[in-house]
Amino acid sequence: MNKLVITAAIVGAEVSRQDNPNLPLNPEEIAQAAIAAGEAGAAIIHLHARDSNGTPTQSKEVFRRTMDLIKRYSKVILQVSTGGTVGMTLAERLQPISLRPEMATLTTGSVNFGQAVFCNSPEDIRSLALELAAYGVKPEVEVFEVGMINNAWELVQKGVLQLPLHFDLVLGVPGGIPATAKNLLHLVESLPKDSSWSVAGIGRHELPLSILAISMGGHVRVGFEDNVYYAKGELAQSNAQLVQRIARLAKEMGREVASPDEARQLLGLGH
Ligand code: KMH
Ligand code: ZN
């Protein structure tokens, strides 16, 4: 089987220190968490940013500072969020793209997100995809519902997105596709041929879906953005602890963990 690419989603936009006091928030803390996650086996860091109050921000300067700090000590692939948090304008969300990260997310549809709505109109999705292409940034297509796969495919047919695509299948967001094995299989079977994919199981679904993905030849995303627990009733000490467990399980299951450079090759990243 191919090597396993582990993504660490280390901060997100919706979790807080009340959920887990070990959540990294400022650029220094986020960089430290990213570097430790890389040392534990993560090849990709999915990056959000917070301002000095801990509020989600897409500020280019905050992203720049965080990314510079990480790059100083680690070769991990940096994947910036273009989702930000619900309610942000498209212009806000786009800001870090001009920093030319190696990857960025692209959610190809709208979905209820807890009590809010994560809005991605066809026009906004197209603008985001074109912006990524203009800066040579590889998209990771974020899928919260099965129709989002078809929306990505339509953009391929229109020449806006290029094959092969890399997907992150997010299961278990309240309002999105439920986290079941049957749904994961359906999503995977719906992907365009030769796509690569990772799975992000939300909350308690993180571990069982990760194990399924390791078995199926997919890749895995873990981290505080998706889940703040190590086990029922036991908060995770760090993002690295969650990554370490996946690396350990993968080894037990006969899959080697990809280094950042191996992940670059696997994902067709040009630099
Ligand atoms: N915070 C969510 C509303 C992304 O990073 O692109 C969207 C999200 C996806 O986290
Ligand atoms: Zn995110």
Side-chain angles (χ1 to χ4, degrees), residues 12-14 46-48 58 79-87 93 104-107 111 113 117-120 140 142 144 168 170 221 225-226:
E14 285 80 25
H46 170 70
L47 210 54
H48 284 255
Q58 290 291 100
Q79 177 196 86
V80 306
S81 169
T82 65
T85 191
V86 287
R93 289 166 54 179
T105 54
L106 174 69
T107 301
V111 63
F113 204 90
V117 185
F118 182 30
C119 284
N120 295 285
E140 174 178 274
E142 303 295 308
F144 295 79
D168 183 42
V170 187
R221 171 173 131 170
E225 175 165 348
D226 304 331

Side-chain angles (χ1 to χ4, degrees), residues 57-60 63 90-99:
T57 177
Q58 290 291 100
S59 155
K60 186 174 166 178
F63 270 94
L90 185 67
E92 258 181 295
R93 289 166 54 179
L94 281 172
Q95 292 173 86
I97 300 306
S98 58
L99 295 169

Side-chain angles (χ1 to χ4, degrees), residues 187-200:
L187 291 172
V188 172
E189 286 177 344
S190 305
L191 298 176
K193 202 170 158 279
D194 297 329
S195 300
S196 51
W197 58 276
S198 61
V199 71

Side-chain angles (χ1 to χ4, degrees), residues 66-137:
T66 312
M67 289 164 69
D68 285 350
L69 285 170
I70 299 171
K71 282 191 215 160
R72 219 180 275 173
Y73 301 103
S74 178
K75 285 183 68 187
V76 286
I77 297 164
L78 296 180
Q79 177 196 86
V80 306
S81 169
T82 65
T85 191
V86 287
M88 283 179 171
T89 64
L90 185 67
E92 258 181 295
R93 289 166 54 179
L94 281 172
Q95 292 173 86
I97 300 306
S98 58
L99 295 169
R100 298 181 189 274
E102 286 184 86
M103 295 182 82
T105 54
L106 174 69
T107 301
T108 48
S110 300
V111 63
N112 286 356
F113 204 90
Q115 296 308 304
V117 185
F118 182 30
C119 284
N120 295 285
S121 71
E123 200 184 319
D124 285 357
I125 299 165
R126 186 184 162 85
S127 303
L128 268 168
L130 289 173
E131 187 83 354
L132 297 193
Y135 283 99
V137 180

